[in-house]
Amino acid sequence: MLKDFKPVLGILLRFIIIYLVLLFAYQFYLNANKDSGLDPFSNVIANQVNAIQHVLGYSSQLYNDVSNDQVWFYVKKQYVTRMVEGCNAISVMILFVSFVFAFYKGSKTFVFVLAGLGLLYIMNLLRIVGLNIVMAEHKEYGKMFHDFVFPAAIYGSVVLLWLIWIKFFALKHENS
């Protein structure tokens, strides 16, 4: 009976191992940067969001609150949001990478992961920019967009990428 489940168990075991390794590596990275405020990756994202907002006509400033591990966004000279470590979408990217590598298919796995991470990175930048604009223009919708709309967009992107990976790459030979 266990022989029938061996492929599924193998995929599940690969997912769990990859997820835990990436999660521990990320936690190590966070611990190594804990005394410098918001981690460097999140700071890069905050600065890129700031630059995009400037291009879109939403002049903004950043205030790095080192003691509280956060960056405050001021758009049009008013506080709109704050960015903390969880806003960098690394946990979402770890889930994405773990799932895709669980269905490893050679070198195309690496290409797909890199392309997917690039897309998720851009989606996350746009998510934060969008939230800042919503908070600056229509603060009454801020909670809804923060809690539902933008998470649906980022997690929906992950699910869509997973479906593309399974349908067009991971199971392509099995369906032929």
Side-chain angles (χ1 to χ4, degrees):
M1 180 171 127
L2 210 52
K3 192 187 322 183
D4 295 337
F5 294 110
K6 189 175 180 182
V8 173
L9 292 174
I11 290 168
L12 185 60
L13 185 61
R14 275 194 306 265
F15 173 82
I16 290 169
I17 290 170
I18 294 166
Y19 179 77
L20 289 175
V21 166
L22 292 175
L23 190 66
F24 285 128
Y26 182 54
Q27 190 58 53
F28 179 77
Y29 162 80
L30 290 175
N31 290 342
N33 292 291
K34 70 179 175 181
D35 295 329
S36 61
L38 194 59
D39 66 282
F41 185 74
S42 297
N43 272 312
V44 166
I45 290 173
N47 286 312
Q48 290 173 341
V49 165
N50 192 40
I52 293 168
Q53 288 174 185
H54 279 286
V55 168
L56 295 175
Y58 287 88
S59 99
S60 57
Q61 295 177 339
L62 299 176
Y63 169 69
N64 194 356
D65 185 359
V66 174
S67 62
N68 292 314
D69 298 333
Q70 60 192 1
V71 169
W72 297 84
F73 285 98
Y74 289 89
V75 179
K76 293 187 171 181
K77 303 204 187 271
Q78 66 176 345
Y79 158 75
V80 290
T81 62
R82 68 185 176 97
M83 182 172 167
V84 296
E85 171 270 325
C87 300
N88 65 19
I90 294 289
S91 59
V92 174
M93 293 178 190
I94 288 172
L95 273 173
F96 167 73
V97 169
S98 301
F99 181 85
V100 172
F101 273 103
F103 291 90
Y104 182 78
K105 294 295 178 184
S107 61
K108 64 183 171 184
T109 308
F110 291 95
V111 173
F112 189 83
V113 162
L114 287 176
L117 287 174
L119 178 70
L120 291 174
Y121 187 86
I122 291 167
M123 287 292 297
N124 190 51
L125 288 176
L126 296 176
R127 176 185 73 88
I128 298 168
V129 168
L131 182 60
N132 286 338
I133 291 171
V134 166
M135 292 298 289
E137 298 292 336
H138 302 284
K139 193 171 185 121
E140 66 273 16
Y141 298 114
K143 182 164 177 48
M144 178 182 67
F145 274 80
H146 178 271
D147 294 350
F148 303 109
V149 175
F150 290 125
I154 195 90
Y155 284 109
S157 298
V158 170
V159 170
L160 183 63
L161 286 168
W162 285 346
L163 292 172
I164 290 168
W165 174 248
I166 292 298
K167 176 138 177 81
F168 297 107
F169 298 99
L171 299 180
K172 187 168 180 92
H173 297 295
E174 284 92 1
N175 293 336
S176 305

